[in-house]
């Protein structure tokens, strides 16, 4: 995946692009739905990988993302980010100016004190339901 990110950055090295960054994100998500104060459903999604492309053109940011990693989808995301910046720059009065900096690479991994994915679903549902009832009583 690192190679993919570097390849995209290299392809964004165009004269009209003042700045570009590419972010590869992997997320685990869980949604707990309540309706009318009662539990409705729970859904989980693990290892959801997505790609974000941001460019600065004519002093305006353009962004696009995809969760498909074939060449066509990445090309579309790159073009969409470029188009978003170019279109937005038509309307932007105060252009963004960045000072020249060296390229930076890095990664960040968030690790909570208590892993919510290891908690029992019933415990999470009860906690949220209790919090909701407590807020409703305060209001």
């Amino acid at each position: 995946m690192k190679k993919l990110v570097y390849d995209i950055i290299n392809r964004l090295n165009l004269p009209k692009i003042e700045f570009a960054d590419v972010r590869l994100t992997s997320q685990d998500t869980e949604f707990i739905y309540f309706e009318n104060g009662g539990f409705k459903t729970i859904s989980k999604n693990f290892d959801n990988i997505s790609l974000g492309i941001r460019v600065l053109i004519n002093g305006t940011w353009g962004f696009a993302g995809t969760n498909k990693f074939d060449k066509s989808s990445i090309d579309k995301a790159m073009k969409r980010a470029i188009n978003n910046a170019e279109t937005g720059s038509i309307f932007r009065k105060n252009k963004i100016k960045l000072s020249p900096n060296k390229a930076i690479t890095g990664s960040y991994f968030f690790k909570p004190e208590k892993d919510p994915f290891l908690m029992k679903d019933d415990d999470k549902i009860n906690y949220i339901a209790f919090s909701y009832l407590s807020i409703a009583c305060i209001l």
Side-chain angles (χ1 to χ4, degrees):
M1 287 296 197
K2 248 185 185 179
K3 182 182 177 339
L4 174 68
V5 170
Y6 285 120
D7 288 347
I8 295 168
I9 285 290
N10 287 331
R11 291 175 56 204
L12 291 170
N13 190 11
L14 303 172
K16 66 181 175 181
I17 297 178
E18 301 160 41
F19 175 91
D21 68 27
V22 177
R23 295 175 188 212
L24 188 68
T25 306
S26 175
Q27 294 181 332
D28 296 334
T29 56
E30 180 174 50
F31 297 97
I32 301 173
Y33 297 96
F34 283 79
E35 189 173 288
N36 297 325
F39 171 72
K40 186 167 183 178
T41 188
I42 188 168
S43 67
K44 300 176 184 189
N45 187 356
F46 296 100
D47 295 323
N48 183 14
I49 300 175
S50 57
L51 183 74
I53 299 169
R54 183 173 63 156
V55 296
L56 182 66
I57 298 174
N58 296 326
T60 305
W61 292 112
F63 179 83
T66 184
N67 60 359
K68 297 178 183 173
F69 296 93
D70 58 279
K71 185 174 180 342
S72 173
S73 297
I74 292 170
D75 287 348
K76 285 179 188 173
M78 288 172 57
K79 287 176 187 172
R80 197 166 48 251
I82 290 168
N83 183 265
N84 288 343
E86 290 174 336
T87 302
S89 72
I90 295 168
F91 305 100
R92 185 166 186 97
K93 292 180 183 175
N94 299 320
K95 307 291 184 182
I96 296 169
K97 283 282 188 194
L98 298 179
S99 301
N101 288 314
K102 293 182 180 181
I104 298 171
T105 61
S107 62
Y108 178 77
F109 180 79
F110 175 74
K111 185 167 176 71
E113 289 180 29
K114 186 171 185 179
D115 188 342
F117 296 105
L118 298 178
M119 295 172 62
K120 293 179 185 176
D121 288 347
D122 286 343
D123 291 344
K124 289 184 270 190
I125 292 165
N126 289 332
Y127 176 79
I128 293 170
F130 177 76
S131 298
Y132 173 79
L133 290 173
S134 296
I135 291 169
C137 290
I138 293 170
L139 298 175

